[in-house]
Structure formats: structure tokens, C-alpha cells
Amino acid sequence: MKKTLTINLGGQVFNIDEDAYIRLNEYLEKIKGYFSGEKEIDDIMNDIELRIAELLSDRINPGKQVIIIRDIEEIIKIMGEPHDFGDFENEEKKKTYYRSSTRRIYRDPDNRVLGGVCGGLGAYMGVDPIILRIIFIIAFFGFGIGLLIYLILWIIIPEAKTTAQKIEMRGEPVNVSNIGNFVKEEFDNIKSSFKGKKKNK
Amino acid sequence: MPDMNIENVKAQMRKGVLEFCILSILSRGDAYASDIIKKLKESRLIVVEGTLYPLLSRQKNAGLLSYRWEESPQGPPRKYYALTDKGNEFLKELNASWTDLVDAVKSIYNK
């Protein structure tokens, strides 16, 4: 038995297996990451989603009502991975973008106790955030200024909201494969936290 | 200096030809993305479909193409692409320079 989801893709409704959904979403996010910063991105994504919807509807009939992961794999093979698109304008632009990409400080929303300041600083400096938290707590009790510094940092450091920002926070170059990996990691996190919740019941 | 590997050069050549061919296909009548893809695949110009969509969007934004939505007998409405006047002019120029190029390459290559 498998759980299915209902999705709206290019204006059509599909029932899709959970694993197939995760694979499709991962793929679409990867393409979106590839074209991020392009002014045509919405048009491109729209056309691609329309085409995928069309290919999916060919794989649906009264005897087979659910999209399974094999359908998605077939479609990805037809559509191709972003790096096979042979899109030179985009590739040239990306290269210059990589070079300018540096490590930046953000607050880490996925690794936080209060505002994610220590999580973000830890990612920036390559230090375990727990050590920073201990230092802040000591500074709070020992010298009384820890809290003030923390609050100031909380205000001035922006939160890492997008996938690209989270990758920048770790100091890795923002490219297609990194975004792909990151999205996959996030899905795995969500999956395991779901499983964790189920076990707790 | 940009790296000169064969795949890179081949892909760049194909991309120029591809833009030319998309305009040619549309000069024979409006088409929706899947029609265009079918023709390009038949002539083995594209390997993966994803190649087409950024090109279509850019040509549209450059004013060479326009699109409209049309009801389809089965399924949701389809996005039909059409050549604009500007696109027509562009295609004519490409056509002329293509013939020149082919002649030039032939005359050098066959010597």
C-alpha cells in the first residue's frame, strides 16, 4: 500500500505516489535553480510544466490512475537534466556568478534555539554552533553584555530564506548540482521528521 | 580563452541552427510546443526536450514570436506559438546568411 497525493500541474489534476511526487518536485526545483535570475523563468517553468502534464496524461488511463515513480523517471529522461539543455547564455552567466559567490553570514532557520544567530555564525565560521551558544551564555552571565550582542546580531543578520542563501551560508558555490543536493537533503529531513512523529505516537 | 572542446563547439553550432529551425517551423504555420518538439526530434536536432523551452521564451521576449491560448479537443488549452512580423524579417536574414555560410564552408572544405 502506498500513500498518494493530488497535484495540479499545468492546470490538470493528477494522483501521484508520494515517492514519485518527491522525485518530480526535486526535478522541477533543480530546473528552477538552473534558471534562477532569468527574467523568463516563469514562462520557461510554465512551458515545462505544461509539457510534463501532457506527457503524464498519456500515461494515465482507466486501468492506471496513479502516476508512479517510473513514469517520472521516463519523463525526466525525455525532458533531460538541466545541464543537458545546452543553454549557453545561461551557462556563461552562471560561471561569472559562481566566481563572485562567497560565503555570507545569515541566520540559520533550520538550526536555531532562539533566532538562529549561533547556527548561522557557526556555518559561517565552520564551528559547531553549540560552542558559540556556550560562549554567548557565559558572556551573558559573566559580563552581562551577551544578551545585548545577541539581540543586535539577531536584528542585523538577515535570515537565510531561499535555498541559494542557505548554500551561500555554508560557503558552497551556488550551482545546479548543489541546489539539487540541498533540495534532496531537505526532503530527506522532512521525511525522517515525519517518520519520527509517527514513531512517537 | 574559452575552452575549445568538441562538445562545446558542437553544442554552440547546434544552438544557432536550432533557433533558425524553430523560426522556420513556425513560418509554415502556428504550432504548439509539442508539435515543434516532434519535428525537431524527427530531424534529430534536439536530444532532450528541455533545450527548447528557454529558446522559445527568449525568442518570444525578443519579439520574434507571440503566443495565444487555444482550446484543444482533449485536455487543457494549448499554447500556440506564431511568428511575428519581426520574426519573419529575422528569419529571412538568417536564411540568407545560412546559404552564404553553407556555400563558404563547402568551398573551403572541398578544396
Side-chain angles (χ1 to χ4, degrees):
Chain A
M1 190 179 74
K2 266 186 171 173
K3 199 160 75 180
T4 66
L5 294 117
T6 309
I7 57 166
N8 169 353
L9 190 70
Q12 293 193 75
V13 175
F14 295 100
N15 288 315
I16 182 168
D17 273 347
E18 200 178 11
D19 51 352
Y21 168 77
I22 290 172
R23 183 78 182 92
L24 177 62
N25 199 18
E26 199 182 291
Y27 177 67
L28 289 174
E29 285 297 321
K30 213 198 247 177
I31 299 180
K32 222 184 269 175
Y34 184 73
F35 289 115
S36 67
E38 296 265 318
K39 61 177 189 297
E40 293 99 350
I41 183 172
D42 290 336
D43 282 330
I44 298 174
M45 290 313 294
N46 199 292
D47 277 3
I48 287 177
E49 287 184 11
L50 272 177
R51 177 62 178 160
I52 293 178
E54 190 181 40
L55 291 170
L56 284 179
S57 59
D58 290 343
R59 286 164 173 76
I60 292 291
N61 57 53
K64 177 182 173 297
Q65 298 175 347
V66 179
I67 300 292
I68 59 174
I69 192 150
R70 208 178 51 231
D71 298 326
I72 301 297
E73 296 294 352
E74 279 172 23
I75 282 167
I76 292 176
K77 208 168 270 172
I78 293 172
M79 300 298 291
E81 294 288 346
H83 57 81
D84 294 326
F85 287 1
D87 191 21
F88 273 93
E89 278 159 59
N90 196 16
E91 226 111 275
E92 289 301 312
K93 250 185 278 164
K94 283 279 150 69
K95 266 183 209 155
T96 51
Y97 181 52
Y98 290 164
R99 260 182 239 124
S100 65
S101 86
T102 43
R103 190 176 281 239
R104 303 181 69 167
I105 304 181
Y106 287 104
R107 286 182 290 114
D108 188 350
D110 304 322
N111 186 359
R112 67 172 186 194
V113 176
L114 282 173
V117 172
C118 292
L121 283 177
Y124 181 77
M125 298 190 286
V127 179
D128 192 325
I130 291 173
I131 295 173
L132 295 173
R133 287 189 188 115
I134 292 170
I135 293 173
F136 267 106
I137 290 167
I138 291 171
F140 177 51
F141 288 110
F143 315 104
I145 52 167
L147 185 68
L148 186 66
I149 293 174
Y150 188 91
L151 287 176
I152 291 171
L153 290 175
W154 192 344
I155 292 165
I156 60 174
I157 301 177
E159 187 182 15
K161 288 193 180 110
T162 65
T163 305
Q165 286 172 339
K166 285 178 190 172
I167 294 172
E168 262 180 356
M169 180 178 73
R170 293 181 180 183
E172 291 165 12
V174 182
N175 57 32
V176 187
S177 64
N178 258 342
I179 288 177
N181 290 342
F182 201 92
V183 170
K184 193 164 172 292
E185 247 172 61
E186 297 223 309
F187 269 120
D188 290 343
N189 285 346
I190 292 168
K191 260 198 288 183
S192 55
S193 70
F194 264 126
K195 275 178 195 149
K197 267 176 201 155
K198 269 182 208 157
K199 264 182 208 157
N200 289 342
K201 272 182 188 171
Chain B
M1 186 180 154
D3 64 60
M4 290 295 287
N5 71 59
I6 184 73
E7 284 312 313
N8 220 324
V9 175
K10 264 170 32 186
Q12 295 216 40
M13 272 164 84
R14 193 179 296 135
K15 185 172 171 269
V17 174
L18 204 53
E19 295 198 26
F20 179 29
C21 287
I22 294 171
L23 296 176
S24 304
I25 290 171
L26 288 173
S27 74
R28 265 177 258 130
D30 304 352
Y32 83 117
S34 305
D35 288 337
I36 304 174
I37 278 172
K38 221 175 118 197
K39 294 211 174 94
L40 293 176
K41 273 193 167 168
E42 277 167 8
S43 43
R44 302 212 293 165
L45 260 175
I46 57 169
V47 184
V48 294
E49 292 194 5
T51 312
L52 178 69
Y53 302 100
L55 294 178
L56 280 179
S57 296
R58 289 205 190 104
Q59 289 186 334
K60 192 205 81 198
N61 279 9
L64 305 179
L65 309 180
S66 62
Y67 70 81
R68 63 174 190 280
W69 292 95
E70 223 166 75
E71 295 298 323
S72 93
Q74 76 269 33
R78 288 170 172 178
K79 197 176 179 179
Y80 272 80
Y81 284 93
L83 213 58
T84 59
D85 292 342
K86 195 178 167 192
N88 238 322
E89 283 304 309
F90 200 86
L91 177 62
K92 265 183 213 155
E93 268 178 48
L94 282 183
N95 226 328
S97 68
W98 173 252
T99 322
D100 288 349
L101 271 177
V102 172
D103 289 346
V105 172
K106 263 190 209 154
S107 73
I108 290 172
Y109 200 76
N110 293 342
K111 261 178 195 165

